[in-house]
Amino acid sequence: MEKGRILFLNGVTSAGKTSIVEALQERDDVFFYVVANDLFQEMVGEKFLRENYWKYLSEVIIMMYHTARLYSDMGKNVIIDGILVEREEIAPHYKQLTDILKNNPLDVVEVYCPLDICRKRNIMRGDRGENQSDEQQELMAKNIEYSLRVDTSQHSAAECADIIVRELFS
């Protein structure tokens, strides 16, 4: 059985990852299952997240990568909606991702948006700290091998989805 493609959308909060996921899922030409940091974080009780957020988040992120591998092994395309941060609890994060998915077709897409625009989006959303994107940018893993970069300040989510499918799936 041919393995499904794994598409990791990497970017800070409010960069537009989830909007791109939604645009990709609206398409008729390619189908993806979605695994996301936010969804997997909900598997951990609030009590534990309050006690040691990074410990439990790091554990569940690694489980998310194994879940993506399982779907791929079953021939299903998967989108990972996440952010590759380097914290001691998960370091080396990018290496762990690539080790877990070394036998699967993985494309890491940089979802870029200038931080000043992300700040405005964070304020509009109301459920994120104004400077949360800046803080995540500081923690972002370095030396990531990206297959593609999309800029949500220049393109709509649907246009970014078009770029991704055209460049990586044609």
Side-chain angles (χ1 to χ4, degrees), residues 3 6 65-66 68-69 72-73 94-107:
K3 295 185 181 204
I6 300 173
Y65 299 156
H66 285 281
R69 183 180 69 199
S72 173
D73 288 346
Y94 177 61
K95 183 175 182 339
Q96 286 196 69
L97 168 76
T98 56
D99 285 351
I100 292 167
L101 300 175
K102 68 181 172 220
N103 296 318
N104 299 79
L106 170 66
D107 287 295

Side-chain angles (χ1 to χ4, degrees), residues 54-151:
W54 283 104
K55 174 191 183 297
Y56 292 106
L57 181 65
S58 298
E59 289 176 358
V60 81
I61 285 171
I62 296 302
M63 288 185 268
M64 179 177 70
Y65 299 156
H66 285 281
T67 301
R69 183 180 69 199
L70 174 65
Y71 276 80
S72 173
D73 288 346
M74 295 178 69
K76 307 301 182 191
N77 293 327
V78 181
I79 300 173
I80 300 174
D81 178 349
I83 177 173
L84 290 163
V85 295
E86 287 299 340
R87 295 252 330 168
E88 66 181 89
E89 297 87 350
I90 198 167
H93 189 167
Y94 177 61
K95 183 175 182 339
Q96 286 196 69
L97 168 76
T98 56
D99 285 351
I100 292 167
L101 300 175
K102 68 181 172 220
N103 296 318
N104 299 79
L106 170 66
D107 287 295
V108 182
V109 175
E110 180 183 11
V111 178
Y112 172 79
C113 183
L115 290 175
D116 60 318
I117 294 173
C118 289
R119 272 185 232 105
K120 291 175 186 172
R121 291 176 180 175
N122 288 337
I123 292 167
M124 286 176 24
R125 288 173 71 158
D127 64 345
R128 305 287 157 96
E130 179 180 344
N131 294 315
Q132 190 170 344
S133 303
D134 301 77
E135 294 162 2
Q136 289 178 351
Q137 181 66 39
E138 291 299 315
L139 296 173
M140 184 87 70
K142 309 295 184 241
N143 302 315
I144 297 169
E145 291 183 36
Y146 288 108
S147 300
L148 183 65
R149 180 186 208 225
V150 293
D151 184 340

Side-chain angles (χ1 to χ4, degrees), residues 17-29:
K17 300 180 304 289
T18 304
S19 296
I20 294 171
V21 168
E22 292 167 357
L24 285 165
Q25 288 192 303
E26 289 293 318
R27 298 179 67 91
D28 293 327
D29 55 347

